[in-house]
Amino acid sequence: MIEIKNLYKRYHNHHSNEWVLKNVNLTIPKGISVGLVGRNGAGKSTLLRLIAGMDTPERGEVIRHSRVSWPIGLSGGFQGSMTGRQNVKFVTRVHGRGDYVDSIIRYVEEFADIGPAFDEPIKTYSSGMKARLAFGLSLAFDFDIYISDEATAVGDKAFKAKAKNAFRDKVNKASLIIVSHNEGILRELCQSGIMIHNGTAIWFEDIGDALKSYHDSLVKGK
């Protein structure tokens, strides 16, 4: 379960200092997969980062009663001068899974399917290769809740199918909180939904109702 209490978030810059999220109060139940919907720039990715603990609210709090992943596919934490293999080994040990380092390396190498590049420095990778490596690394660990921001949009058709199947497998053992512009994936993988609109977050028990509310807001233009 995840509790979000009186959460406010904004970014102070020369463009704007308005609230991205304001007075968000939600409880995400255990074992429920949730799709986040809303317009571009509504704050979906911001909420995901806050839930994952990769950003901090200006006010309020996020209380995690479960093991929550970092956003799947996030490649910003890689060390560019280290190889893919070395990065995987490092992350595995940092997360206290040193006893399983060999099996995790094998899983990530097979899943990412980037060939000899696995033993080349990350700084030589394309953005797609880094995303594939990050995707495999995320799924190599067991979490109660997996966070995903458009992760299934990475790679070619074959890799997208592999990503989708991996999500299905995880749903059988854990839950997801996911942002995706692919409504088919949201309907298939999620039971419930959260719509981000004008800085507020609205909970829907049914993902179909969340998508309908999102479409209605587009028609109204507000």
Side-chain angles (χ1 to χ4, degrees), residues 3 7 14 16 48 51 53-54 59 64 82 84-85 90 102 113 122 124-125 130 141 143 159 177-178 191 194 208 210:
E3 295 179 85
L7 184 145
H14 63 280
S16 171
L48 276 189
I51 290 172
M54 303 196 69
R59 303 179 197 168
R64 304 167 195 85
M82 293 167 56
R85 186 183 304 274
F90 176 76
D102 290 337
D113 193 20
I122 292 283
T124 66
Y125 286 18
K130 284 191 285 188
F141 289 83
F143 295 104
F159 189 80
I177 302 175
I178 179 174
Q191 295 89 45
I194 297 171

Side-chain angles (χ1 to χ4, degrees), residues 37-85:
V37 300
R39 300 182 185 186
N40 289 336
K44 301 186 297 296
S45 295
T46 296
L47 183 58
L48 276 189
R49 289 195 299 271
L50 290 164
I51 290 172
M54 303 196 69
D55 203 347
T56 55
E58 189 148 335
R59 303 179 197 168
E61 58 183 338
V62 178
I63 304 171
R64 304 167 195 85
H65 299 279
S66 307
R67 295 171 298 167
V68 181
S69 80
W70 57 83
I72 290 175
L74 182 72
S75 56
F78 287 140
Q79 170 53 250
S81 61
M82 293 167 56
T83 68
R85 186 183 304 274

Side-chain angles (χ1 to χ4, degrees), residues 182-204:
N182 187 326
E183 293 189 9
I185 287 178
L186 294 178
R187 291 181 185 276
E188 180 179 349
L189 298 179
C190 302
Q191 295 89 45
S192 301
I194 297 171
M195 179 181 167
I196 310 295
H197 184 66
N198 291 336
T200 63
I202 307 166
W203 173 265
F204 292 87

